[in-house]
Amino acid sequence: MSLEQAARLALQCLDLTSLNDGDTAADIDALCVRAIGAPERGHVAAVCVWPGFVARARAALPADIRVAAVANFPDGSLDLPRVLAEVDAIAQAGAQEVDVVLPYKALMAGQSTEVAEFLAEVRHATRPLTLKVIIESGELGSPARIAEATRQALMAGADFVKTSTGKSKVSATPEAAATMLREIAASGLGNAGFKASGGIRSVADARGYLQLAADALGVGALTPRRMRFGASGLLSDIEAVLAGQDSAAVSAAY
């Protein structure tokens, strides 16, 4: 896959994200302008924001760019009433997608049953929204825990399993992605997707994850229905590559 091909795919699969503590309405307006982009370039799959900005983003974007928001974020507590209230507010504000943090600390503490029950309730409450479950792979650490969290999310009916909040010391890694993708492939769920998130700032990085997904799930999975990137800085590098410029990977807050 050429760098240009990877850039075009990454753009189509990008959840352009702003989850900074100091985000303002003006920041979200600017994010939406970037998400739409120039007609010849194409646009992103979705914009991902804090719940309080969902209505603003939805009003600023065309219907074919989806709006996502985060719940239970970034701590991933086992507080079900809290996350259900957040999900309801997100849905009422007009989002099409929600990214929920799996209670990874509870899972690491051996509360597997409680986590499974939590995820089942969240899945029920989020329908018909697209549900992405963030497993926080950098905190789980071991491949065995990453695999267990991925299975939990898939068994609960998650549409996507996502690597990271982008708020931990270790975010997406190829090793964690490979483990998650193996579990998705082994599940036999032909519609389950993968989202790489946190620390992905260059098209070269994105190309690596696209290749991993193609190897595990087949090239047919390289569409927004099954592949996403959660990032803010990645778009700048995509734009540079598509403009025929040198890769201009930049640091990003997310």
Side-chain angles (χ1 to χ4, degrees):
M1 182 187 307
S2 71
L3 207 59
E4 181 180 350
Q5 288 172 323
R8 294 193 184 280
L9 270 175
L11 175 64
Q12 295 168 13
C13 297
L14 181 61
D15 288 0
L16 187 62
T17 299
S18 190
L19 294 170
N20 302 307
D21 292 337
D23 279 346
T24 65
D27 294 328
I28 302 309
D29 290 344
L31 188 78
C32 292
V33 169
R34 292 206 71 207
I36 296 168
E40 66 275 10
R41 186 203 75 184
H43 58 66
V44 304
V47 163
C48 185
V49 296
W50 292 109
F53 292 118
V54 167
R56 190 175 192 91
R58 184 65 278 160
L61 294 167
D64 54 351
I65 298 181
R66 296 164 73 85
V67 174
V70 292
N72 205 28
F73 187 94
D75 54 287
S77 73
L78 204 57
D79 185 345
L80 185 60
R82 168 196 161 192
V83 74
L84 294 184
E86 291 173 341
V87 165
D88 182 63
I90 288 166
Q92 292 297 323
Q96 291 77 46
E97 304 183 356
V98 59
D99 293 30
V100 176
V101 185
L102 181 145
Y104 61 93
K105 294 176 185 175
L107 189 67
M108 292 167 70
Q111 295 178 273
S112 181
T113 299
E114 290 87 343
V115 170
E117 292 171 350
F118 173 94
L119 291 173
E121 291 289 342
V122 167
R123 174 68 281 187
H124 177 74
T126 53
R127 294 194 187 280
L129 303 185
T130 295
L131 172 63
K132 309 187 200 95
V133 174
I134 308 167
I135 67 167
E136 201 68 294
S137 58
E139 294 295 316
L140 292 172
S142 74
R145 281 177 174 165
I146 291 168
E148 181 185 2
T150 302
R151 288 193 296 270
Q152 286 264 27
L154 293 170
M155 286 189 292
D159 297 298
F160 286 83
V161 184
K162 175 178 170 181
T163 59
S164 322
T165 62
K167 302 292 186 180
S168 57
K169 290 182 180 179
V170 178
S171 291
T173 66
E175 295 76 18
T179 297
M180 296 168 69
L181 286 161
R182 280 195 298 271
E183 291 299 326
I184 293 171
S187 74
L189 299 171
N191 56 351
F194 169 74
K195 180 174 174 179
S197 181
I200 301 166
R201 301 185 178 96
S202 74
V203 174
D205 289 339
R207 180 167 60 178
Y209 288 104
L210 288 167
Q211 189 60 59
L212 285 171
D215 291 344
L217 307 177
V219 293
L222 302 185
T223 74
R225 293 178 63 86
R226 296 194 69 191
M227 181 76 197
R228 297 287 182 91
F229 293 100
S232 56
L234 177 58
L235 181 56
S236 295
D237 202 47
I238 289 171
E239 290 171 333
V241 170
L242 293 181
Q245 302 167 2
D246 290 337
S247 179
V250 295
S251 297
Y254 179 67

